[in-house]
Amino acid sequence: EVQLQASGGGLVQAGGSLRLSCAASGSTFDGYSIGWFRRAPGKEREGLSCISHSEGKSYYADSVKGRITTSIDNAKNIAYLQMNSLKPEDTATYYCAADLACNFINGLVLDLFDYWGQGTQVTVSS
């Protein structure tokens, strides 16, 4: 069973960039698709992206497409979420998750993932 830990959050000014990391332990990422989610105060969890292990491609939610990029360093067993042109509305707790599939439907990344890491807080100041 894979355990996940997201890190790299912090305070950044609007327009800035941030790279989040998701480290795996207990297992490698091999065979897993890795998703990124966020939850802003008072809002539901929102799926942002997913890297599909079986397809070797990334999916991005329409709401953030063009501003984020996901990748995996298999040698280090770390997944990354690169976020650019950050806005105050990107302020949220960010999570990574793992599952056998991406659950990407109609431009949405569904939160049907089996394994979740603890979140990392991102705050974007105006």
Side-chain angles (χ1 to χ4, degrees):
E1 178 177 314
V2 64
Q3 288 91 46
L4 306 171
Q5 179 64 57
S7 63
L11 176 63
V12 62
Q13 287 188 331
S17 299
L18 206 59
R19 188 178 76 164
L20 305 183
S21 300
C22 175
S25 61
S27 176
T28 67
F29 282 134
D30 189 36
Y32 290 102
S33 294
I34 305 301
W36 285 93
F37 296 80
R38 68 184 179 189
R39 175 170 279 164
K43 295 186 177 181
E44 295 187 354
R45 187 161 56 195
E46 175 188 13
L48 304 175
S49 68
C50 183
I51 296 181
S52 170
H53 170 78
S54 61
E55 299 176 74
K57 63 183 295 185
S58 296
Y59 296 95
Y60 299 98
D62 291 345
S63 61
V64 292
K65 188 181 295 182
R67 294 199 297 125
I68 68 171
T69 305
T70 59
S71 60
I72 294 178
D73 186 331
N74 287 303
K76 295 182 178 179
N77 231 19
I78 299 176
Y80 299 101
L81 176 68
Q82 176 69 42
M83 303 187 294
N84 302 318
S85 302
L86 285 165
K87 307 173 184 179
E89 50 264 44
D90 292 320
T91 295
T93 302
Y94 285 71
Y95 302 85
C96 55
D99 198 84
L100 298 180
C102 269
N103 305 301
F104 181 80
I105 300 174
N106 295 329
L108 298 175
V109 181
L110 305 181
D111 60 352
L112 303 175
F113 283 68
D114 284 340
Y115 305 101
W116 291 84
Q118 291 184 326
T120 185
Q121 177 68 35
V122 173
T123 303
V124 183
S125 63
S126 57

